[in-house]
Amino acid sequence: MTLSQKIADLKRRMREASQGGGQKAIESQKAKGKLTARERILALLDPKSFHEYDLFVAHAGKDFDMDKKFLPGDGVITGTGTINGYPVCIYAQDFTVAGGSLGYAHAKKITKIMDHAMKLKVPIIGINDSGGARIQEGVNALAGYGDIFYRNTMASGVIPQISVILGPCAGGAVYSPALTDFVFVVDKISQMFITGPEVIKTVLGEEISKEDLGGAKVQAQITGNAHFYARSEEECFEQIKQLMSFIPWNNENKAKPFPKKPPKRQYKVDDIIPVDPTEPYDVRNIIKALVDDSEFLEVQELFAPNIVIGFARISGQSVGIIANQPMVLAGVLDVDSSDKAARFIRFCDAFNIPLVTLVDLPGYLPGIDQEHAGVIRHGAKVLYAYSEATVPKITVILRKAYGGGYIAMCSHHLKADFVFAWPTAEIAVMGPEGAANIIFRKEIMEAENPEEMRKKKIEEYKDKFANPYVAAAYGYVDAVIEPAETRHFISHAIEISMNKSESLPKKKHGIPPF
Ligand code: HXC
């Protein structure tokens, strides 16, 4: 063959290998409102940046007439590219080829690109759209998942790992996303479950739809398995691009700094915090009043909304923000909000992103439900994550900081670098009402007018403790600041902490309260 014939042959082979599972399967994919695997990669990556590898890998199935089948790319596309100029490794399962099911060669392609990502120290993005382990390939399919889970674990904290669920993600397959850092889901397209509706019907005799069992909303709102929820695949890709702008390539780098920008004019801290200390407000408006261009990428927005977490920039530097949300359950820490915050803190710490904590909470949520759900064990995760974090840690106490909540929300005792408090801060063992009822019970009971006495004692307690000055007198608060100065103080603290270096005691690893 001449060179031009060989090139024509190559092109023909490439066309054949990248055709997916054929017209019918592609039409069925489109009818479900889904893009094809290749379209997804091209939509997510920078134009012309995608380079595909292992296009000609052949599938390894031999039983059930599998050897007679042609499965292009073995149902998964792998390669490298860039997002906003940042290098990434990527794979996308192709549901049009054998339902994107994972056989031996399919898994080998994924583990190879994961190994690449680890060697090149760049993020790995996995687009999941699959019926799970390829049933015809038996134990080789299971082995493939095991190989992926192992790599997910090894890559954890080394390179960012992003999972995008754009179709079914069933059975053991769900554990790869669960081991990664961020899971993206799309309304009416994503489904995640260990056991599907068929099995549930057989075993439990219950009928349930895929959507109700593990659809996007369920994963984003109820289970907390998903970190980002989008209404369309396009919106999901925009969210991924935005996330990538806040995080570094790997744990040896910092996120790329951006030009400094002031917050938008409509957000002013002074206007947001209510005069009445019992009145709720939306802490997201405070965040927007503090961060560059008021741009805040909220993580797990729908799950445990009593705590708000997400990425922003202050003076051009990426920061992770953790803020109690007084609008929901008064911003208490409970089982879910503790899990949510602790994991986020660990991500930021692993990837050199400073932590900014905004405190306004009455403490941990009381009650039998929380105690039985393990609020002790889960709440401890927050203490562990903050204590262990060595990135710059800046805390601002806006209003209430009572009891365990005061300690847990990155107090000096957990080695915050800077703790600032507004004059509205109330730092004490518990709220004035509860405290007065306990410590002045006798006086209140014996008074001629107990109600009047109660009020008097509450005021007495407030005067003594419900302020930031007692904590400031012990040095637990570094500076009591005017709310309008907050951005300036945080910004300075971040700049001055740029070269912070702190190491943990030598150990193989800690034993966090998982
Ligand atoms: C082989 C599979 C497959 C699988 C789907 N297909 N899942 N082939 N192994 N696991 C094939 C179908 O046979 C079909 O092939 C094509 O993919 C499209 O599937 P449909 O069923 O027609 O699509 P749809 O109606 O959209 O339903 C999608 C689905 C369903 C919900 C994912 O296919 C399904 O329930 N599949 C099995 C899911 C499951 O239980 N997986 C767990 C496996 S066990 P044709 O040739 O007809 O087009 C597991 C354990 C791993 O994963 C443990 C690791 C630790």
Side-chain angles (χ1 to χ4, degrees), residues 218-291:
V218 170
Q219 300 302 352
Q221 198 164 26
I222 301 173
T223 66
N225 288 329
H227 301 82
F228 293 95
Y229 170 84
R231 274 150 299 231
S232 66
E233 295 198 20
E234 289 75 11
E235 190 189 356
C236 170
F237 298 146
E238 286 311 309
Q239 290 173 340
I240 298 171
K241 289 178 199 177
Q242 201 187 355
L243 172 68
M244 297 296 292
S245 77
F246 286 106
I247 63 178
W249 299 6
N250 57 50
N251 63 344
E252 287 170 11
N253 279 293
K254 289 185 178 170
K256 191 176 125 196
F258 274 61
K260 297 179 190 185
K261 270 189 180 172
K264 292 203 170 103
R265 280 157 172 261
Q266 68 259 41
Y267 298 104
K268 285 212 166 50
V269 269
D270 283 346
D271 301 344
I272 300 160
I273 194 126
V275 183
D276 177 355
T278 58
E279 217 180 286
Y281 60 92
D282 189 345
V283 77
R284 288 173 297 192
N285 289 330
I286 301 270
I287 296 170
K288 287 180 188 160
L290 297 176
V291 304

Side-chain angles (χ1 to χ4, degrees), residues 345 348-355 389-393 417 500 502:
I345 293 162
C348 292
D349 185 47
F351 290 101
N352 314 311
I353 299 171
L355 296 167
T390 55
V391 287
K393 299 190 278 196
D417 297 295
K500 179 184 174 189
E502 197 175 11

Side-chain angles (χ1 to χ4, degrees), residues 21 24-25 28-29 32 34 66 69 71 95-102 129-137 141-146 149 167-175 191 193-199 210:
K24 211 169 137 225
S28 156
Q29 176 86 348
K32 291 175 192 148
K34 304 198 294 186
M66 287 296 280
K69 285 194 177 163
L71 303 182
F95 193 82
T96 69
V97 178
S101 57
L102 182 138
D129 186 2
S130 163
R134 187 172 300 151
I135 297 161
Q136 300 91 326
E137 291 199 33
L142 300 183
Y145 274 119
F149 302 159
C169 184
V174 295
Y175 284 113
Q191 296 142 16
F193 36 74
I194 300 270
T195 39
E198 293 297 327
V199 179
K210 286 183 212 156

Side-chain angles (χ1 to χ4, degrees), residues 105-363:
H106 180 121
K108 283 275 176 251
K109 281 180 74 171
I110 294 178
T111 53
K112 189 171 163 190
I113 200 71
M114 290 175 83
D115 289 343
H116 257 314
M118 277 293 268
K119 271 188 287 183
L120 308 177
K121 289 258 180 154
V122 300
I124 176 91
I125 300 174
I127 300 180
N128 296 256
D129 186 2
S130 163
R134 187 172 300 151
I135 297 161
Q136 300 91 326
E137 291 199 33
V139 72
N140 264 332
L142 300 183
Y145 274 119
D147 291 342
I148 293 170
F149 302 159
Y150 176 80
R151 281 164 176 80
N152 285 137
T153 309
M154 291 304 112
S156 179
V158 181
I159 51 171
Q161 301 186 80
I162 290 168
S163 297
V164 196
I165 314 298
L166 295 181
C169 184
V174 295
Y175 284 113
S176 175
L179 287 165
T180 63
D181 302 317
F182 295 106
V183 177
F184 289 74
V185 291
V186 175
D187 189 36
K188 299 194 178 65
I189 286 182
S190 316
Q191 296 142 16
M192 293 175 85
F193 36 74
I194 300 270
T195 39
E198 293 297 327
V199 179
I200 291 181
K201 197 171 162 195
T202 315
V203 178
L204 304 172
E206 288 169 14
E207 296 248 12
I208 187 159
S209 73
K210 286 183 212 156
E211 195 66 20
D212 288 343
L213 183 63
K217 213 40 175 297
V218 170
Q219 300 302 352
Q221 198 164 26
I222 301 173
T223 66
N225 288 329
H227 301 82
F228 293 95
Y229 170 84
R231 274 150 299 231
S232 66
E233 295 198 20
E234 289 75 11
E235 190 189 356
C236 170
F237 298 146
E238 286 311 309
Q239 290 173 340
I240 298 171
K241 289 178 199 177
Q242 201 187 355
L243 172 68
M244 297 296 292
S245 77
F246 286 106
I247 63 178
W249 299 6
N250 57 50
N251 63 344
E252 287 170 11
N253 279 293
K254 289 185 178 170
K256 191 176 125 196
F258 274 61
K260 297 179 190 185
K261 270 189 180 172
K264 292 203 170 103
R265 280 157 172 261
Q266 68 259 41
Y267 298 104
K268 285 212 166 50
V269 269
D270 283 346
D271 301 344
I272 300 160
I273 194 126
V275 183
D276 177 355
T278 58
E279 217 180 286
Y281 60 92
D282 189 345
V283 77
R284 288 173 297 192
N285 289 330
I286 301 270
I287 296 170
K288 287 180 188 160
L290 297 176
V291 304
D292 290 11
D293 206 23
S294 303
E295 185 190 357
F296 177 54
L297 177 64
E298 192 169 348
V299 176
Q300 287 181 304
E301 185 181 344
L302 303 176
F303 177 68
N306 40 325
I307 203 153
V308 172
I309 57 170
F311 297 103
R313 285 180 203 93
I314 294 183
S315 291
Q317 303 295 333
S318 216
V319 293
I321 295 184
I322 302 102
N324 308 118
Q325 173 59 289
M327 241 173 43
V328 183
L329 292 170
V332 287
L333 279 173
D334 58 4
V335 166
D336 285 343
S337 65
S338 296
D339 268 0
K340 175 175 164 179
R343 197 178 150 121
F344 181 69
I345 293 162
R346 286 176 76 89
F347 176 85
C348 292
D349 185 47
F351 290 101
N352 314 311
I353 299 171
L355 296 167
V356 174
T357 304
L358 304 179
V359 188
D360 187 350
L361 84 165

Side-chain angles (χ1 to χ4, degrees), residues 346 379-389 414 507 509-513:
R346 286 176 76 89
K381 294 178 188 175
V382 181
L383 303 171
Y384 198 105
Y386 268 130
S387 299
E388 201 187 35
L414 307 187
K507 54 182 150 180
H509 56 69
I511 301 129

Side-chain angles (χ1 to χ4, degrees), residues 52 93 125 170 252 286 291 377 407 438 445 449 474 487:
E52 185 171 355
Q93 293 180 309
I125 300 174
E252 287 170 11
I286 301 270
V291 304
R377 181 164 49 90
I407 307 169
I438 294 170
M445 268 168 55
N449 186 337
Y474 286 103
R487 178 175 154 90

